[in-house]
Amino acid sequence: MRTLIPMFAVSLCAAVAIGCNKFETPELTNHASNTLASDARSNQIVSLQLGQQPGAFQVEDVTGPAAGEFLCYRCKYSGKPTIVIFARQVNDSVTSLVQQIDRTVSENADKKLSAFMVVVGEDTEQVKPTLQRVQVAQHIENTPLTVFNEKEGPAGYGLNPNTQIQVMMWNDDGLKVNKPLAPHLSKEEISEVVSQTSEILN
């Protein structure tokens, strides 16, 4: 009898321990889930890193060859050296930058340099006439002007929410340039951005 009592006590303790673990598991699981959710939210605002391949996303073409349609210029240009100008507003700096980029694309047609501009916002309908006027006034022939109707921008790109202009450049090796810019740019600053196209030309 004396031998059985300690064994019973040990079994009882083991059962209690197992029971406690079962109750603690959901708390640990919830904590882990919250941590993962927090990490996921953090990852959404981390900008695309150099060397990474940008993901596909659809825009509404306003002035390009597919005007009025939704398409993926990232897919269309595929591994070609590509410049994309993300803008939250269309001002003189954006207009000048697009004009210079468009000229550079024309000058490097033999290297298949491509570009497109994306106006990002919650309501981009009102900016479409402006883009059409810019295309005509600045003779933009090689750079489709498009809109993306979400203020966060395309998923996975992590556009800086406090930046009015952000330029990315990539080729088949991945992202080479990711440059947040001030809302107003000098001629020298625009020239500096344009010169960085050399980093994606082979």
Side-chain angles (χ1 to χ4, degrees), residues 47-50 82-88 94 97 101 157-160 162-170 175-183 185-197 199-200:
S47 193
L48 195 65
Q49 300 297 299
L50 298 183
T82 302
I83 307 162
V84 57
I85 303 167
F86 291 104
R88 299 186 184 278
V94 171
L97 179 59
I101 290 293
Y157 282 68
L159 299 185
N160 188 326
N162 300 315
T163 298
Q164 296 298 311
I165 310 170
Q166 190 162 344
V167 175
M168 295 186 183
M169 303 182 190
W170 59 73
L175 186 69
K176 299 295 184 181
V177 175
N178 186 357
K179 195 173 183 67
L181 300 169
L185 305 170
S186 65
K187 291 182 179 179
E188 292 75 20
E189 288 171 326
I190 291 174
S191 296
E192 181 183 349
V193 172
V194 174
S195 70
Q196 290 186 282
T197 56
E199 298 188 30
I200 59 173

Side-chain angles (χ1 to χ4, degrees), residues 105-187:
V105 170
S106 177
E107 293 170 352
N108 290 277
D110 59 325
K111 297 180 180 178
K112 299 183 178 180
L113 181 63
S114 304
F116 63 107
M117 181 182 122
V118 184
V119 177
V120 177
E122 290 183 320
D123 182 11
T124 54
E125 192 66 31
Q126 58 186 357
V127 80
K128 292 179 184 179
T130 302
L131 293 179
Q132 292 167 340
R133 287 194 295 270
V134 168
Q135 190 267 333
V136 173
Q138 303 300 327
H139 306 288
I140 307 298
E141 299 178 351
N142 310 287
T143 307
L145 309 182
T146 73
V147 296
F148 186 88
N149 202 41
E150 292 182 23
K151 65 178 182 179
E152 295 83 5
Y157 282 68
L159 299 185
N160 188 326
N162 300 315
T163 298
Q164 296 298 311
I165 310 170
Q166 190 162 344
V167 175
M168 295 186 183
M169 303 182 190
W170 59 73
N171 56 21
D172 56 0
D173 291 327
L175 186 69
K176 299 295 184 181
V177 175
N178 186 357
K179 195 173 183 67
L181 300 169
H184 302 287
L185 305 170
S186 65
K187 291 182 179 179

Side-chain angles (χ1 to χ4, degrees), residues 2-110:
R2 292 181 180 178
T3 304
L4 293 176
I5 293 175
M7 291 180 62
F8 174 75
V10 170
S11 300
L12 181 61
C13 291
V16 171
I18 292 171
C20 290
N21 287 337
K22 288 182 179 179
F23 284 111
E24 288 175 358
T25 299
E27 295 179 1
L28 292 172
T29 301
N30 290 338
H31 176 72
S33 299
N34 290 337
T35 301
L36 291 173
S38 177
D39 290 344
R41 287 191 294 269
S42 298
N43 289 337
Q44 289 175 359
I45 61 172
V46 173
S47 193
L48 195 65
Q49 300 297 299
L50 298 183
Q52 291 182 325
Q53 283 291 351
F57 67 98
Q58 285 201 330
V59 295
E60 183 179 357
D61 197 350
V62 178
T63 69
E69 299 179 14
F70 288 87
L71 77 162
C72 174
Y73 272 112
R74 167 67 180 112
C75 309
K76 182 179 176 67
Y77 294 153
S78 188
K80 294 178 181 179
T82 302
I83 307 162
V84 57
I85 303 167
F86 291 104
R88 299 186 184 278
Q89 61 180 358
V90 181
N91 57 20
D92 290 343
S93 292
V94 171
T95 299
S96 297
L97 179 59
V98 172
Q99 184 184 40
Q100 293 299 319
I101 290 293
D102 189 68
R103 182 181 303 169
T104 303
V105 170
S106 177
E107 293 170 352
N108 290 277
D110 59 325

